[in-house]
Amino acid sequence: MQLTLWTYEGPPHVGAMRVAAAMRGLHYVLHAPQGDTYADLLFTMIERRDTRPPVTYTTFQARDLGGDTAELFKSAAREAYERFSPQAMIVGASCTAELLQDDPGGLAKALDLPCPVIPLELPAYQKKENWGASEAFYRLVRGLAGARRDRPLRDRKSCNILGPTALGFRCRDDVREIAKLLATLGVDVNVVAPLGASPKDLTRLGDADFNVLLYPEIGLAAAQWLERAHGQPFTRSIPIGVGATRDFIAEVARMAEIDPAPALETNDSRLPWYSRSVDSTYLTGKRVFIFGDATHAIAAARIAQDELGFQVVGLGTYAREFARDVREAAARYGVEALVTDDYLDVEAKVSELQPELVLGTQMERHIAKRLGLPCAVISAPVHVQDFPARYSPHMGFEGANVIFDSWVHPLMMGLEEHLLTMFRDDAEFHDGAAPSHLGEEQEPRRPTSAAVVSDIVLAWADDAEKELKKIPFFVRGKARRNTEKFAAERGLATITVETLYDAKAHFAR
Amino acid sequence: MNALAPLSGLAKGACDAAPVMQERGQREVFCGLTGIVWLHRKIQDAFFLVVGSRTCAHLIQSAAGVMIFAEPRFATAILEDRDLAGVADIDDELDAVVDRLLARRPEIKLLFLVGSCPSEVIKIDLSRAAARQSRQHAPRVRILSYSGSGIETTFTQGEDACLAALVPTLPPEPENASHSLLVVGALADIVEDQFARLFDVLGVAPVRFLPMRHAADLPPVGPSTSFLLAQPFLADTAHALQERGARWIEAPFPLGAEGVTLWLRAAAKAFGVSEARFDAVTSPARARAEEALAHYRDALAGKRVFLFPDSQLEPALARFLAREMAMRIVEIGTPYLHRRHMAAELDLLPKDAPIVEGQHVEKQLDRCRAARPDLVVCGLGLANPLEAEGFATKWSIELLFSPIQGYDQAGDLAELFARPLNRRARLEV
């Protein structure tokens, strides 16, 4: 039993949902109790999807347990097929249904539906979200990609892009950036999967010459299988950062047997120049702590050390499956890797190290806020603001631009805040100081009492003042202003609780 | 599992006319664990420990959003393979988790062990564990248990299960206690204070609230207690209070000017307050509520609203929207309909408003699309997809997290429904 407040990853069936929701023409039938549909809102709210994820839940309740939950699953699967006519289905159980020992795979097979049905075994009490996504994608690829066959004859080499999913950190824009890069190299993209692919597309995976593996956490198992079954090599370098993007271009060029020079020359990243400009000198040796999924954490460490001139003082991951890679990377920076999924351990490490910048997930953002440290987000799990409307990849050369801005910004803000605090009591910086461009004759602005309205000084009765304090601070000011205006217009000398609510009713709109 | 069958054997009254249908199928609802998110804020020295899976922890995290970092008073003891395989003794594991938790949080006075689907299915006896741990940690901490599992509870029913677990621990009223009022159901503090003031001026006393704000302030209960339900989802709590001899005061729920008046009047009547006094005390606040509501009536009157099942607040909300805001009701979904507690609401609802208990989400969406309502009240899993199809939606969870009961929140309640329509009218893109 593990005492948990925050969890970096959801259960494995949420990983499978990320694969299903990324694809088109696929439907997931999930044997799960009432309430597990909460996961839908991760997609509709955090990622702001405009459709429901393609998942049908059996949502069994206690009264169903005495009866036939297997029958419930079968009717849900049959109905889902009839309603959505998917090209393929995946079926499985969530943590509670795993305990019931109905066999979704066997039950679905017995239905003999007219589309491929791929059963998923996701051990909910051992594994987590990324493993679930990886396993679901691997099973789908294995089930649908078919046997090795001759590749179509083509002038240009082609590749698949493997690993981007729904709810993946910056996946949408990374894929666009990398596809652009591949086009510059003269390499065609055969299939991007799972994001945007249909089961029919997965049957074409074998047509590509090699695979570009963008997110090993999700796509490694499938890439390894395609290497064995279809003889497709896959890229090892992750194109996050300028150096890593160059390595990636060289690796792709080698696989495609083409010249990397033209693509390397189009390097339009501003990071190298920005980082060399004198304004960036103050970044030198800034102590940075890095935590996230293995792929993003390792990439961030290289950028921090080699491209921005920081000093990596801590590196860690919550992904135990990739702990070895992170340990190796940490050794290069002379630090010991922190491998944990307990955010209290991370918090303890951050407070111990007292870095000047924290790069991490949503959790590290909160840890840093609590400790008063600058922070930028580099990895899932992330909240809604990290699914931005604007183009913001982390991969490729534009990704390097985005990273420069997003990491340096909190440091600038930190510096500004520091300066303001330092100079708070200076003549030019105190609260009442007028902006200097208004000239010296300008009277310094003095704090005005909100209670002085048209020369009548209004008194707040004690209980009204107390009531006002119960109103959330961010609207309290407005409530105070409105009430005083209301009282002044009516010539009331004292504001009572009644006045407060009379004013609220008056101004309600 | 799909049939929409009219329900037989309905309670007397307007339900005879109101078609109540039952539906089964996929339910797009939260489980009772979600109640923790507001309950832990109400009882300020209580801690909620869910015994469940990673899914449970993930759910609470998703529902609580950033709140989890403001000294959270809830957590999950995640079951692992070794717990299921019997390698680890569940009792020992659970005791160790509780010991560690209480050592870290010395300010906690009341601990709830909250059952989940996994813990219910493998039949972990949390009530026995709570009794054992209570003995170990007495008198500093009291430990209780209830189930918030999805298989047994829907969303707000988690609060019902929690309060029902509290009721047997409430102290008895003394023998010669005078008639007292207990208001049952978590309300925002500001709403609770408003009601307390109104009851005070009416001369209804003593008035107590359940849940209480601090673990030590347990309200006494006994045959001299009358209780008023502030929330419609408290079937088991009401039953437990009646077992202790308390008497239920039947009333509609305190939503909207009319609902609040009827709710207060039911209590006033039970305490012998004269009609004249009642009118004198409540009429200023009523007038104020009416004024606030008038601001939104133009925006809402005549609009057609469809409510998906979520919290059991739906019939009362529909009554408010229909009678006070002149909206037209397309369908009222509710996860569960307690016919006795809801009878007063059903009497007030338009006779032709279809009520659907339970859910088959796909078929309900089909009905919703076919009806083309002006406003859809639904959960966050459905809201954006329906917006993308061109429907204005009001996401329903906000109705649990915002103060909406009482005279002085009536305008706010109306505004919650008017805002999405207002926004759609404004946007030019």
Side-chain angles (χ1 to χ4, degrees):
Chain A
M1 227 174 253
Q2 187 200 359
L3 181 61
T4 312
L5 301 178
W6 251 116
T7 151
Y8 282 95
E9 293 183 70
H13 74 262
V14 168
M17 283 183 71
R18 287 175 52 192
V19 170
M23 291 181 59
R24 299 172 294 117
L26 178 74
H27 201 85
Y28 187 12
V29 181
L30 184 61
H31 205 13
Q34 165 177 269
D36 278 6
T37 52
Y38 82 88
D40 281 0
L41 66 90
L42 304 173
F43 298 88
T44 59
M45 298 306 291
I46 296 180
E47 202 177 39
R48 285 188 228 249
R49 275 175 72 99
D50 58 1
T51 55
R52 294 168 63 216
V55 183
T56 293
Y57 305 78
T58 54
T59 58
F60 55 84
Q61 295 172 265
R63 62 181 175 203
D64 302 313
L65 291 180
D68 198 347
T69 49
E71 193 51 48
L72 196 63
F73 177 85
K74 278 159 75 175
S75 60
R78 199 183 301 113
E79 269 190 60
Y81 179 79
E82 282 161 11
R83 181 170 284 266
F84 300 103
S85 341
Q87 296 168 22
M89 288 198 342
I90 48 179
V91 297
S94 80
C95 50
T96 303
E98 187 182 333
L99 302 170
L100 298 185
Q101 310 196 325
D102 294 331
D103 168 22
L107 293 169
K109 198 173 169 197
L111 286 176
D112 198 22
L113 295 169
C115 76
V117 177
I118 294 159
L120 298 179
E121 293 284 342
L122 305 175
Y125 298 92
Q126 292 168 13
K127 303 291 190 182
K128 290 182 278 189
E129 179 176 332
N130 279 340
W131 188 90
S134 168
E135 175 71 6
F137 185 46
Y138 164 69
R139 291 285 160 198
L140 275 163
V141 169
R142 243 196 109 130
L144 297 169
R148 188 167 182 167
R149 56 191 179 272
D150 291 337
R151 302 211 167 98
L153 283 173
R154 280 180 302 223
D155 299 339
R156 284 154 59 106
K157 296 284 184 179
S158 91
C159 68
N160 302 310
I161 295 180
L162 303 181
T165 60
L167 271 183
F169 178 68
R170 304 296 164 94
C171 282
R172 176 196 71 194
D173 296 340
D174 283 350
V175 167
R176 206 172 121 193
E177 188 64 17
I178 294 308
K180 202 175 82 186
L181 193 61
L182 291 166
T184 317
L185 272 160
V187 174
D188 291 332
V189 175
N190 178 49
V191 173
V192 179
L195 191 63
S198 68
K200 277 199 185 107
D201 292 331
L202 296 190
T203 65
R204 298 190 293 109
L205 282 169
D207 294 345
D209 297 296
F210 63 96
N211 288 315
V212 165
L213 175 61
L214 289 189
Y215 307 95
E217 279 86 348
I218 315 292
L220 180 62
Q224 285 170 335
W225 183 82
L226 285 166
E227 186 172 48
R228 285 197 304 275
H230 286 264
Q232 294 169 328
F234 63 90
T235 56
R236 280 352 197 243
S237 38
I238 307 298
I240 303 180
V242 174
T245 300
R246 287 198 180 120
D247 294 351
F248 173 80
I249 290 171
E251 192 180 9
V252 168
R254 219 168 32 246
M255 281 184 191
E257 295 157 354
I258 50 177
D259 178 13
L264 286 172
E265 278 158 20
T266 63
N267 174 1
D268 54 0
S269 174
R270 290 175 205 94
L271 183 145
W273 166 239
Y274 270 48
S275 196
R276 280 172 196 282
S277 78
V278 293
D279 186 55
S280 297
T281 313
Y282 83 101
L283 301 177
T284 314
K286 284 255 182 238
R287 304 172 67 254
V288 57
F289 175 87
I290 302 168
F291 195 85
D293 67 21
T295 302
H296 287 90
I298 294 169
R302 179 172 172 188
I303 301 169
Q305 186 103 349
D306 298 349
E307 303 181 12
L308 294 175
F310 295 154
Q311 187 196 346
V312 176
V313 295
L315 180 61
T317 185
Y318 56 81
R320 289 184 188 282
E321 292 91 340
F322 290 80
R324 209 172 70 182
D325 302 324
V326 176
R327 288 205 176 93
E328 281 171 13
R332 284 203 292 281
Y333 304 104
V335 298
E336 197 184 332
L338 176 68
V339 179
T340 179
D341 57 0
D342 186 341
Y343 94 102
L344 293 174
D345 291 348
V346 182
E347 186 173 66
K349 193 74 185 168
V350 176
S351 11
E352 178 202 319
L353 291 170
Q354 283 296 319
E356 291 161 281
L357 177 66
V358 176
L359 301 175
T361 71
Q362 183 68 18
M363 282 76 153
E364 282 67 50
R365 224 167 59 109
H366 287 278
I367 290 170
K369 192 190 267 176
R370 223 174 108 168
L371 298 172
L373 300 170
C375 176
V377 171
I378 58 156
S379 161
V382 292
H383 209 46
V384 62
Q385 68 269 33
D386 273 298
F387 286 92
R390 66 181 184 277
Y391 186 56
S392 31
H394 265 213
M395 291 185 172
F397 292 127
E398 181 59 24
N401 294 338
V402 170
I403 286 172
F404 183 91
D405 288 346
S406 61
W407 294 9
V408 171
H409 180 80
L411 288 173
M412 292 292 289
M413 303 284 24
L415 187 69
E416 273 176 29
E417 199 166 301
H418 178 68
L419 289 173
L420 283 177
T421 317
M422 206 158 79
F423 296 129
R424 179 161 292 159
D425 297 326
D426 278 22
E428 287 176 68
F429 275 98
H430 66 85
D431 283 347
S436 55
H437 67 268
L438 292 179
E440 281 181 39
E441 66 278 14
Q442 182 81 19
E443 272 286 297
R445 186 168 49 87
R446 303 224 177 273
T448 53
S449 162
V452 184
V453 183
S454 59
D455 299 325
I456 308 167
V457 180
L458 293 164
W460 282 74
D462 280 352
D463 59 344
E465 189 81 47
K466 271 190 204 132
E467 194 74 3
L468 183 69
K469 294 215 173 88
K470 294 173 194 163
I471 296 169
F473 70 92
F474 48 87
V475 286
R476 202 179 298 148
K478 181 177 158 196
R480 179 185 283 278
R481 214 167 46 240
N482 280 351
T483 308
E484 283 165 358
K485 187 166 167 229
F486 180 86
E489 282 167 2
R490 281 156 188 74
L492 303 172
T494 311
I495 294 172
T496 63
V497 175
E498 295 301 299
T499 324
L500 178 66
Y501 285 120
D502 284 338
K504 184 181 178 200
H506 177 76
F507 287 107
R509 66 184 50 123
Chain B
M1 80 186 237
N2 319 320
L4 253 181
L7 197 75
S8 56
L10 285 174
K12 291 235 176 345
C15 330
D16 289 339
V20 178
M21 293 176 273
Q22 278 191 325
E23 191 171 45
R24 298 198 61 188
Q26 178 180 321
R27 292 163 72 106
E28 186 84 18
V29 289
F30 280 123
C31 66
L33 294 181
T34 325
I36 292 171
V37 177
W38 66 86
L39 281 170
H40 91 282
R41 289 176 53 78
K42 189 72 204 177
I43 314 177
Q44 291 161 20
D45 45 8
F47 195 102
F48 294 77
L49 178 66
V50 177
V51 181
S53 64
R54 184 166 300 280
T55 311
C56 307
H58 197 230
L59 158 87
I60 301 185
Q61 173 170 322
S62 309
V66 295
M67 204 192 279
I68 203 156
F69 283 99
E71 278 307 307
R73 280 183 285 100
F74 50 85
T76 309
I78 295 186
L79 294 165
E80 294 168 306
D81 251 19
R82 45 201 294 275
D83 301 309
L84 302 181
V87 176
D89 183 276
I90 298 238
D91 287 350
D92 293 347
E93 290 277 315
L94 194 54
D95 288 359
V97 166
V98 167
D99 288 350
R100 193 154 16 117
L101 181 68
L102 293 178
R104 273 179 58 137
R105 302 296 294 270
E107 77 281 17
I108 300 305
K109 301 284 188 292
L110 176 61
L111 173 68
F112 286 101
L113 302 179
V114 189
S116 66
C117 299
S119 75
E120 298 291 332
V121 167
I122 63 171
K123 302 204 186 319
I124 300 179
D125 191 343
L126 289 182
S127 63
R128 205 166 49 87
R132 182 180 64 243
Q133 291 165 355
S134 268
R135 283 194 299 275
Q136 283 163 12
H137 295 281
R140 201 194 102 198
V141 189
R142 225 149 20 93
I143 300 169
L144 299 173
S145 74
Y146 71 89
S147 170
S149 74
I151 55 177
E152 285 164 317
T153 58
T154 305
F155 195 27
T156 48
Q157 281 177 314
E159 177 175 330
D160 187 26
C162 173
L163 300 188
L166 264 175
V167 170
T169 73
L170 302 181
E173 288 258 34
E175 287 283 331
N176 53 353
S178 59
H179 193 189
S180 69
L181 179 67
L182 184 64
V183 178
V184 188
L187 294 167
D189 286 356
I190 193 164
V191 177
E192 200 176 290
D193 291 348
Q194 286 166 5
F195 284 148
R197 272 198 305 267
L198 276 169
F199 283 126
D200 186 45
V201 184
L202 281 170
V204 174
V207 177
R208 304 182 182 104
F209 293 85
L210 183 72
M212 59 292 164
R213 294 184 196 184
H214 298 281
D217 302 336
L218 293 171
V221 65
S224 54
T225 311
S226 289
F227 69 91
L228 198 52
L229 295 175
Q231 301 280 11
F233 41 74
L234 298 171
D236 290 350
T237 308
H239 183 74
L241 285 167
Q242 283 165 327
E243 296 265 286
R244 299 279 310 262
R247 281 161 295 161
W248 173 50
I249 303 174
E250 181 170 7
F253 296 94
L255 297 171
E258 183 188 37
V260 179
T261 303
L262 294 173
W263 187 77
L264 288 171
R265 181 179 278 142
K269 215 169 142 194
F271 281 77
V273 178
S274 75
E275 192 64 18
R277 181 170 175 78
F278 180 81
D279 280 340
V281 169
T282 56
S283 57
R286 253 169 98 172
R288 214 152 59 198
E290 305 280 2
E291 186 193 351
L293 289 173
H295 291 297
Y296 305 104
R297 200 162 286 122
D298 280 351
L300 293 174
K303 297 282 195 302
R304 299 167 66 247
V305 61
F306 191 112
L307 298 100
F308 278 73
D310 194 47
S311 62
Q312 299 183 46
L313 281 167
E314 295 82 7
L317 290 169
R319 178 264 302 160
F320 161 71
L321 293 173
R323 293 173 65 95
E324 299 191 52
M325 305 316 289
M327 290 185 85
R328 289 154 62 204
I329 307 299
V330 180
E331 177 170 321
I332 305 167
T334 180
Y336 176 72
L337 188 73
H338 190 291
R339 281 148 187 84
R340 285 283 289 129
H341 289 173
M342 206 49 85
E345 290 287 354
L346 297 179
D347 278 339
L348 296 171
L349 272 171
K351 302 295 173 231
D352 58 347
I355 301 173
V356 178
E357 185 184 12
Q359 186 174 34
H360 182 298
V361 70
E362 302 292 351
K363 291 186 179 178
Q364 197 164 34
L365 281 167
D366 288 345
R367 293 198 297 276
C368 178
R369 290 179 184 118
R372 306 270 348 144
D374 298 296
L375 184 67
V376 184
V377 182
C378 63
L380 289 173
L382 300 178
N384 267 337
L386 283 171
E387 288 279 349
E389 289 181 33
F391 293 94
T393 64
K394 165 70 221 122
W395 46 281
S396 47
I397 309 172
E398 200 175 4
L399 297 160
L400 269 300
F401 295 140
S402 312
I404 56 168
Q405 293 82 3
Y407 284 124
D408 290 309
Q409 283 64 238
D412 300 344
L413 178 60
E415 204 268 349
L416 286 177
F417 297 96
R419 194 187 304 157
L421 297 171
N422 178 355
R423 181 160 188 80
R424 283 179 82 80
R426 280 169 189 250
L427 297 181
E428 294 284 344
V429 289

